[in-house]
Amino acid sequence: MKKKYPVEKLRNIGIIAHIDAGKTTTTERILFYTGITHKIGEVHEGEATMDWMEQERERGITITSAATTCFWKDCQINIIDTPGHVDFTVEVERSLRVLDGGVVVFDGKEGVEPQSETVWRQADKYNVPRICFINKIDKEGADFEKSLQSIWNRLTPHAVAFQLPIGERGDFSGVVDLVKMKAYKFEGELGEKVVEEEIPEDMKNKAAMWREKMIEKIAETNDAILEKYLGGEELNQEEIKKVTRQAVIENKLVPVFTGTALRNKGVQLILDAVVDYLPAPSDLPPVKGIDLKTGNKLERKAEESEPFSALVFKVATDPYVGQLIFFRIYSGKIKAGSYVLNSARNEKERVGRILRMHSNHREEVEELGTGEIGALVGMKKTTTGDTLCDLEKPIILERITFAEPVIDIAIEPKTKADQEKMGFALKKLSEEDPTFRVKTDEETGQIIISGMGELHLDIIVDRMKREFKVEANVGQPRVAYRETIRAQAQAEGKYIRQSGGRGQYGHCWLKVEPLEAGQGFDFVNEIKGGIIPQEFIPAIEKGVKEAMNNGVISGHPLIDVKVSLYDGSFHEVDSSEAAFKIAGSLAFQEAVKRANPVILEPIMKTQIIVPEQFMGDVVGDISSRRGIIKEINDRGEGVAVIKEINAEIPLASMFGYATQLRSMTQGRANYSMEFEHYAELPSNIAEEIISGKNKSK
């Protein structure tokens, strides 16, 4: 039985970064130095412990967030290694929701990159305290001060250097710790021996200057320390660490460290920083939720004496044990064999086996306590975002919100035998990933799968083939258009059927009006005096929701609509839920037709990095794709001036862009894009889509 760590000795951290900054390599070193693995797995050799999926090993990228547990300096550290590719943003989003702290990794040559900004904003959204690691400082072209400057300019003014590199690029040999004012070298075959030395003579003045900057920034976060500092008193190590820790927890300070994970230099000091500066669950405010019985707001402190509450942040299908439910405990504890309430679905669930995860290896435990991250086997009805809690003291924690998918492809099984297996595989994969959706096109009978990008759907199809042994034919990617309304309108829905026996009667009046972008759907019940019995109102809402899936002008789903039910009638005998559901659907469709419906298209925030001599061609090409250039910045100095173009371009114009960009720039430019917002489609293109739909009929 492993030692049980008190809650103040726990650290739940995520390693987050832009694709290729070295997150997984950093995590591999952490696992090696903490004794979890006895051999370092390399991403470029396809052997990283945390990248355990075949698709991850082949592509050298992280796709799913893997969880693992390790131990350092009498602390238990639960680590989640997240993907950097924007197509897998859901994995970062759900990990950040349950983490207490983050280690943000940057490439020492590139500094802040597009997805660095995305993950930083996601961390801001959940107020995650973080530290920075400027990695790959040994790489040709790496520059610590320039990378730090890019963090100040583009992410936060609160970043503070806590280390300096000794030498850079090929000369990098160690780091200077500005708190202890000592130099550290990393010796042994795998850098496992950390050797403390005096700061090299030629760096003493520079180190003193940077230490002064660091102390000044730290002092600004604490009045008592500021007074001491302004009075000319020297701060000791313990004071610096204590005040820094508090400032990091309050998101007032972001310490910056450096090294090279691949060359085994600097990672142990990152682990020290995790223990010293990132919060334990007990350092953070109590988690907030809503009482299931009364609807009142509740809080749960991070203590084992509190009632049990946990959030499910991921569902994964494991080939050996079936479905794994990953969860984070916010209060109380959970025991194998006990019962818990899934408050989001009001379902009682039995806790089968409890697992502590080490990437895709598992260790079975009898119980887990406050602050821990684990996985459950045997849950039948639980999915991502659900709350698990005490049966007697129910609470619902805030759900995780996910981006809507922006790209569709049609998929069909190759053989009759694949047909059944495909349905099962798609169901399992959509349970795992809330940004992956499956639907059947009612007009064509095709199965349509939707995701966050071409790579996202590529991986899904690949996983179907390998994990579920399903062969499929895949169509061309299509844009996930949406519809919305621009005006208010009202309409009546009446469904009356008389047959020999009991008839059907449903009648309602609905008002529709537009909502602000991103607000989704709002259903308001304004029925007074029982003119429609209460039990039929959910059926009307259900009818409206089903009608929203197929818009009135192009068949694409409707978004950002408020629907008010304000009138109607019923029949004592003939009224039924089914009749009111159809009436709701009819009224909604008619009201939308009168409310000036329009088609919306996804607009992608696109960043293109291009050598200056090709900039004219690239800018011209963006205009031809209906793109709008937001800004152009310089990225490089000297002979090769590199330009960074930030633009907003419709997704419909971006298929095959990678090939076009390469041929325009002799293969020297690259780009990244992520969903920004939905915008109204120009009328000439909208007409093409509508006439295309009519022809297909």
Side-chain angles (χ1 to χ4, degrees):
M1 175 82 180
K2 280 209 167 69
K3 171 183 170 185
K4 182 163 169 54
Y5 288 78
V7 72
E8 57 276 7
K9 292 287 186 186
L10 287 180
R11 301 287 182 274
N12 291 318
I13 66 162
I15 313 281
I16 53 179
H18 180 89
I19 191 167
D20 247 3
K23 295 179 303 301
T24 302
T25 306
T26 304
T27 312
E28 291 298 321
R29 298 309 182 271
I30 288 172
L31 297 184
F32 176 74
Y33 295 130
T34 55
I36 294 295
T37 56
H38 302 290
K39 169 180 178 284
I40 290 178
E42 300 295 9
V43 177
H44 56 267
E45 291 168 7
E47 289 184 357
T49 310
M50 299 297 273
D51 284 352
W52 54 274
M53 285 169 65
E54 284 176 42
Q55 293 86 346
E56 295 178 307
R57 295 186 167 185
E58 284 169 12
R59 290 170 169 84
I61 60 168
T62 302
I63 293 166
T64 61
S65 47
T68 195
T69 305
C70 60
F71 307 90
W72 185 256
K73 296 210 167 161
D74 209 31
C75 275
Q76 177 180 322
I77 304 174
N78 299 318
I79 303 173
I80 295 183
D81 172 32
T82 62
H85 198 290
V86 71
D87 280 15
F88 306 105
T89 181
V90 59
E91 293 288 341
V92 184
E93 187 86 26
R94 57 176 162 201
S95 303
L96 285 168
R97 171 68 174 82
V98 297
L99 293 174
D100 300 330
V103 177
V104 190
V105 183
F106 298 91
D107 183 312
K109 180 185 172 192
E110 308 296 339
V112 175
E113 297 177 85
Q115 260 76 66
S116 318
E117 292 187 56
T118 305
V119 294
W120 193 274
R121 283 200 311 271
Q122 286 173 311
D124 280 344
K125 178 176 162 184
Y126 294 113
N127 286 323
V128 176
R130 61 214 93 142
I131 60 177
C132 294
F133 178 49
I134 295 177
N135 187 23
K136 303 190 181 184
I137 210 70
D138 60 325
K139 189 175 167 182
E140 201 49 53
D143 186 324
F144 176 76
E145 290 183 33
K146 205 170 126 201
S147 295
L148 181 57
Q149 188 68 47
S150 74
I151 295 172
W152 286 333
N153 293 348
R154 296 170 67 177
L155 300 179
T156 175
H158 303 312
V160 186
F162 269 53
Q163 289 179 349
L164 293 176
I166 302 172
E168 275 181 353
R169 303 173 190 123
D171 301 329
F172 176 69
S173 60
V175 297
V176 170
D177 184 316
L178 298 174
V179 176
K180 294 181 179 171
M181 285 306 272
K182 294 283 183 189
Y184 288 91
K185 298 281 175 78
F186 303 87
E187 294 177 357
E189 195 186 334
L190 296 164
E192 64 274 19
K193 296 190 190 110
V194 183
V195 181
E196 186 176 289
E197 298 177 352
E198 291 306 312
I199 297 171
E201 274 306 315
D202 62 347
M203 281 194 72
K204 283 192 170 166
N205 289 342
K206 186 180 180 183
M209 179 190 82
W210 279 90
R211 178 182 163 88
E212 190 61 29
K213 285 184 188 176
M214 178 188 79
I215 299 286
E216 193 178 318
K217 276 290 223 184
I218 293 169
E220 282 172 11
T221 68
N222 183 293
D223 291 345
I225 295 290
L226 184 61
E227 212 172 293
K228 208 171 169 181
Y229 169 71
L230 294 173
E233 286 183 59
E234 192 58 38
L235 301 182
N236 64 40
Q237 270 185 49
E238 284 315 303
E239 281 177 312
I240 291 172
K241 282 188 175 176
K242 191 177 169 191
V243 176
T244 299
R245 180 179 175 76
Q246 198 48 46
V248 170
I249 290 168
E250 291 169 7
N251 273 310
K252 291 179 183 170
L253 210 62
V254 182
V256 180
F257 302 86
T258 189
T260 163
L262 189 63
R263 302 277 170 260
N264 312 312
K265 292 183 171 75
V267 176
Q268 295 96 320
L269 302 186
I270 288 287
L271 281 164
D272 290 347
V274 166
V275 169
D276 290 342
Y277 304 127
L278 289 179
S282 51
D283 293 320
L284 296 168
V287 67
K288 292 179 170 55
I290 290 168
D291 187 321
L292 199 59
K293 291 174 181 168
T294 64
N296 296 336
K297 289 186 177 171
L298 288 176
E299 287 189 344
R300 292 271 192 268
K301 295 195 188 89
E303 293 170 8
E304 295 212 347
S305 55
E306 289 267 295
F308 171 69
S309 68
L311 187 76
V312 174
F313 66 95
K314 177 171 170 147
V315 175
T317 304
D318 184 285
Y320 302 107
V321 296
Q323 210 167 50
L324 285 173
I325 305 287
F326 286 81
F327 68 108
R328 150 79 198 259
I329 302 177
Y330 284 97
S331 62
K333 56 188 175 186
I334 188 170
K335 286 189 172 165
S338 62
Y339 282 90
V340 293
L341 179 72
N342 177 339
S343 55
R345 298 174 193 285
N346 208 6
E347 295 275 0
K348 189 171 157 184
E349 289 261 40
R350 185 175 181 277
V351 178
R353 292 158 61 202
I354 305 175
L355 307 173
R356 184 177 278 144
M357 301 302 291
H358 300 290
S359 182
N360 63 333
H361 303 293
R362 312 165 268 282
E363 166 201 353
E364 196 160 336
V365 292
E366 276 306 302
E367 70 170 39
L368 286 178
T370 299
E372 295 233 52
I373 287 175
L376 296 169
V377 179
M379 291 268 174
K380 296 281 185 290
K381 292 171 181 156
T382 299
T383 187
T384 303
D386 288 355
T387 301
L388 300 176
C389 61
D390 189 299
L391 288 168
E392 302 303 316
K393 303 209 170 134
I395 184 174
I396 281 199
L397 304 177
E398 187 190 342
R399 286 186 77 86
I400 312 171
T401 52
F402 298 111
E404 286 294 309
V406 294
I407 185 168
D408 296 344
I409 57 174
I411 186 167
E412 58 183 36
K414 274 196 175 163
T415 67
K416 195 87 177 130
D418 287 322
Q419 197 158 359
E420 266 178 47
K421 285 196 291 186
M422 186 159 133
F424 174 77
L426 290 173
K427 180 173 178 286
K428 287 287 177 203
L429 291 166
S430 62
E431 281 171 2
E432 280 184 32
D433 182 350
T435 59
F436 170 62
R437 310 276 169 82
V438 183
K439 65 176 183 188
T440 303
D441 188 315
E442 287 177 11
E443 289 175 4
T444 63
Q446 282 180 307
I447 295 170
I448 307 292
I449 58 174
S450 313
M452 301 305 293
E454 290 182 77
L455 178 63
H456 184 199
L457 294 180
D458 227 17
I459 299 287
I460 294 274
V461 173
D462 199 35
R463 286 188 63 194
M464 269 180 30
K465 285 180 184 170
R466 294 194 197 191
E467 290 172 36
F468 299 95
K469 307 288 183 279
V470 178
E471 290 297 325
N473 296 320
V474 179
Q476 288 300 309
R478 306 183 317 186
V479 178
Y481 293 108
R482 294 285 180 267
E483 291 184 20
T484 192
I485 54 173
R486 291 284 184 249
Q488 283 191 16
Q490 298 164 346
E492 178 184 29
K494 226 175 198 177
Y495 182 70
I496 304 170
R497 284 281 177 278
Q498 285 309 131
S499 56
R502 185 180 156 181
Q504 294 286 349
Y505 185 96
H507 175 220
C508 64
W509 278 89
L510 297 178
K511 180 172 79 178
V512 297
E513 51 196 305
L515 287 174
E516 276 182 40
Q519 291 197 341
F521 169 65
D522 188 15
F523 184 83
V524 182
N525 174 15
E526 294 176 357
I527 291 295
K528 303 275 190 305
I531 47 177
I532 297 177
Q534 201 59 40
E535 67 263 28
F536 296 135
I537 286 163
I540 295 172
E541 184 178 355
K542 197 174 175 190
V544 168
K545 281 184 176 169
E546 283 186 12
M548 282 184 75
N549 289 330
N550 297 296
V552 298
I553 47 177
S554 66
H556 292 99
L558 274 137
I559 55 171
D560 304 328
V561 180
K562 179 182 176 184
V563 178
S564 306
L565 168 65
Y566 67 93
D567 200 359
S569 62
F570 75 104
H571 188 281
E572 288 286 353
V573 179
D574 291 351
S575 281
S576 66
E577 285 187 14
F580 271 103
K581 185 177 145 188
I582 295 168
S585 176
L586 294 170
F588 178 74
Q589 286 171 354
E590 190 53 44
V592 168
K593 282 176 191 168
R594 298 172 186 175
N596 186 13
V598 294
I599 301 177
L600 304 175
E601 65 174 338
I603 303 294
M604 308 306 279
K605 180 180 167 190
T606 309
Q607 186 173 63
I608 303 159
I609 310 297
V610 58
E612 190 176 37
Q613 66 262 44
F614 303 112
M615 198 179 87
D617 292 347
V618 171
V619 167
D621 184 63
I622 289 170
S623 301
S624 73
R625 293 172 187 272
R626 299 189 289 121
I628 298 166
I629 291 168
K630 292 292 184 184
E631 58 177 5
I632 298 176
N633 301 317
D634 286 350
R635 276 289 282 263
E637 281 105 36
V639 187
V641 178
I642 304 292
K643 293 288 188 182
E644 171 198 294
I645 303 169
N646 290 302
E648 288 182 357
I649 310 175
L651 176 64
S653 313
M654 291 302 281
F655 293 129
Y657 185 60
T659 314
Q660 177 70 17
L661 185 65
R662 276 200 292 270
S663 65
M664 271 191 298
T665 61
Q666 296 167 12
R668 290 172 60 195
N670 61 57
Y671 81 103
S672 65
M673 67 177 185
E674 62 180 293
F675 172 68
E676 177 67 15
H677 61 268
Y678 271 101
E680 192 171 328
L681 199 60
S683 55
N684 59 326
I685 302 172
E687 279 165 22
E688 282 175 30
I689 289 172
I690 294 163
S691 62
K693 178 187 180 251
N694 293 337
K695 270 182 208 157
S696 70
K697 287 181 177 178

